[in-house]
Amino acid sequence: MHALANPSRLVRLAGTYAPWCAVATVVTLAAGLFLALIASPPDYQQGESVRIMYVHVPAAWMALFCYSCMAAASAVALIWRIPTAELAAKATAPIGACFTFLALVTGSLWGKPMWGTWWVWDARLTSVLVLFFLYLGYIALSTAFDDPARGSRAASILALVGFVNVPVIKFSVDWWNTLHQPASVVRAGGPAIDASMLAPLLVMAVAFTCYYLWVMLLRLKSEILAGKIRAIQLRRMHG
Amino acid sequence: MLTAALAIAGREFRLAVRQGFDSLLAVVFFVLACVLFPFGVGPEPAVLARIAPGIVWVAALLATLLSLDRLFQTDYDDGTLELLALAPLPLTAVVAAKVAAHWMMTAGPLLIAAPLLALLLGLAADAFPALLATLALGTPALSVIGAIGAALVLGARRAGVLLALLILPLYIPVLIFGVAAVDAAAFGLTVRPHLMLLAGLSLAAAVIGPPTTAAAIRLALR
């Protein structure tokens, strides 16, 4: 882990792995879209609109996954005082916010034909909306100070406090009677979804994860380089 | 340690009393925000009675939010916070004392004003004890969570708006259970489970809040 704390080495590692993540994203996304849109059967009740699931469910998984990564990186940054972990958390936040927004929008588009409404105030939808605001709060707090280091440390504390929402989202469909259906892939007794639909779903989830890693590494690298440029410019100005 | 914590809480009270009307601004805002609703949704008694718990709770939440900027900002500006952080008393205890004092000074007036407003809005008589109980049990969580946010935004640009963005999402669970309890009472259902959940939220917040707030203050003082 201490190898990753060295910014120069991290930039080199990010430069090495980002192209591989890009290739993996393109390949899995192409395969996943083919399986999801063409090769998989329409649902016997929902018809063709079930295909929204192949974007909605992986996006919702990534929304939680990104926040968990952000909270873990923030904990590492606060406990071991590793600034590069803060940068990783900072690089994750906008990606996670976009995935959360995507999950909310696709869920809304799916809800209209299936439930007959764009939005219901049930526990799952509300808690995901709160997650979206937590991402926005993190981004706003991390950029609200003249000293960037102060901002990212304050935001790290906020990320840890907001982590209480993640289990609430995960279990909201079990704790409350919601219109949103309970988990059907990761559950006791095996997935309650047919293999012809599970395969494209999992491929899409892998594609989304690769995409996250790719963009996160790029953002991390540019963040570190921007910090170095700032330091050089400051040194020049002060002679 | 208890004497020192009490001294800090006492200082907060004296400051509030000597600043006079300043400390009552939050409750004035609370009353005004509630009074806006009959104009907004119309004076229909049935509608107002139905949404009265939500109005009172949302207004209480916003009033608490408005009062948070006084919690650490003035002490941060004049350097008192640095001295408190250097004191032999642990910063967590300082925070706990300040938050407890803040809670008594904001929730106290709200608890007095809330029944009057509920009366104006025509809340069912059965729901009055539940309204007071939920406010009494829920507002500690509001103060404690708010203190985390108030400490995090110390020294930030546009701290007030930022504080709202950070804190309001975390207030939503308290709001949900608070309103659910009053609604249950108005419909003649059992209130106990909601009250227990609210008390649980406040207790959990009281455990997590002060150490987190102390960490955020140390960060601001560095």
Side-chain angles (χ1 to χ4, degrees):
Chain A
M1 194 170 68
H2 286 278
L4 296 177
N6 179 338
S8 312
R9 195 181 288 180
L10 195 56
V11 167
R12 240 177 298 134
L13 280 177
T16 315
Y17 286 111
W20 289 106
C21 292
V23 171
T25 307
V26 171
V27 170
T28 48
L29 196 63
L33 284 177
F34 172 75
L35 286 174
L37 298 182
I38 298 161
S40 71
D43 189 70
Y44 80 106
Q45 275 182 328
Q46 306 190 2
E48 298 291 344
S49 62
V50 74
R51 301 188 194 284
I52 298 174
M53 173 183 78
Y54 302 118
V55 177
H56 173 73
V57 174
W61 284 345
M62 290 309 294
L64 287 183
F65 179 71
C66 288
Y67 198 91
S68 308
C69 289
M70 209 171 88
S74 300
V76 168
L78 287 174
I79 295 167
W80 289 287
R81 305 191 178 242
I82 299 176
T84 49
E86 266 161 21
L87 293 179
K90 229 171 157 177
T92 301
I95 312 171
C98 288
F99 276 128
T100 314
F101 187 69
L102 190 64
L104 287 169
V105 169
T106 53
S108 186
L109 291 174
W110 197 11
K112 187 61 186 168
M114 289 308 117
W115 298 341
T117 174
W118 298 107
W119 185 264
V120 282
W121 289 97
D122 86 349
R124 174 59 70 85
L125 279 73
T126 314
S127 52
V128 173
L129 189 64
V130 170
L131 183 73
F132 183 59
F133 288 127
L134 287 175
Y135 274 120
L136 293 189
Y138 179 95
I139 297 168
L141 186 62
S142 66
T143 54
F145 296 89
D146 294 331
D147 173 16
R150 160 96 173 86
S152 38
R153 305 211 72 181
S156 297
I157 296 180
L158 182 72
L160 287 183
V161 173
F163 189 71
V164 292
N165 191 34
V166 170
V168 173
I169 295 176
K170 175 77 188 79
F171 297 111
S172 58
V173 282
D174 305 326
W175 292 345
W176 289 283
N177 275 321
T178 57
L179 191 53
H180 193 286
Q181 60 158 350
S184 49
V185 177
V186 186
R187 61 166 213 159
I193 174 171
D194 190 71
S196 62
M197 291 182 175
L198 185 60
L201 187 61
L202 292 180
V203 175
M204 285 297 278
V206 172
F208 276 35
T209 314
C210 292
Y211 173 81
Y212 159 64
L213 287 175
W214 173 30
V215 179
M216 197 271 280
L217 287 175
L218 285 184
R219 291 185 58 89
L220 183 60
K221 191 176 143 188
S222 61
E223 189 85 33
I224 294 174
L225 293 179
K228 285 191 172 174
I229 292 171
R230 212 165 30 231
I232 292 171
Q233 280 173 335
L234 276 176
R235 213 174 303 147
R236 234 185 237 164
M237 247 184 254
H238 295 299
Chain B
M1 195 165 114
L2 191 63
T3 335
L6 283 178
I8 288 169
R11 170 178 171 271
E12 299 286 315
F13 283 123
R14 278 196 302 281
L15 276 174
V17 169
R18 286 178 195 164
Q19 280 163 357
F21 196 65
D22 275 16
S23 40
L24 288 177
L25 279 179
V27 74
V28 173
F29 170 83
F30 174 61
V31 173
L32 207 55
C34 284
V35 168
L36 281 180
F37 278 85
F39 298 110
V41 299
E44 185 79 36
V47 176
L48 283 179
R50 175 67 194 81
I51 61 174
I55 295 174
V56 173
W57 254 100
V58 169
L61 209 128
L62 294 176
T64 310
L65 180 74
L66 277 189
S67 67
L68 286 172
D69 62 334
R70 297 159 34 86
L71 191 52
F72 299 119
Q73 189 64 49
T74 46
D75 283 350
Y76 176 72
D77 290 340
D78 66 12
T80 314
L81 209 52
E82 279 178 50
L83 293 179
L84 287 175
L86 291 173
L89 187 65
L91 191 53
T92 307
V94 174
V95 167
K98 281 178 82 79
V99 172
H102 171 266
W103 173 68
M104 280 182 228
M105 284 178 306
T106 49
L110 290 190
L111 278 173
I112 296 168
L116 296 174
L117 288 165
L119 202 65
L120 287 182
L121 295 169
L123 182 70
D126 302 340
F128 273 71
L131 179 68
L132 286 178
T134 53
L135 283 175
L137 285 175
T139 42
L142 300 186
S143 287
V144 173
I145 299 171
I148 302 176
L152 281 176
V153 300
L154 283 177
R157 296 185 302 264
R158 303 185 57 80
V161 189
L162 187 59
L163 181 61
L165 177 60
L166 301 190
I167 288 306
L168 287 179
L170 298 173
Y171 276 179
I172 290 175
V174 184
L175 179 65
I176 290 174
F177 292 119
V179 174
V182 187
D183 273 344
F187 289 123
L189 302 170
T190 172
V191 183
R192 216 173 119 83
H194 301 293
L195 289 183
M196 289 171 89
L197 278 167
L198 259 186
L201 279 180
S202 279
L203 288 175
V207 173
I208 300 168
T212 315
T213 311
I217 289 177
R218 270 200 207 97
L219 186 62
L221 294 177
R222 185 168 310 175

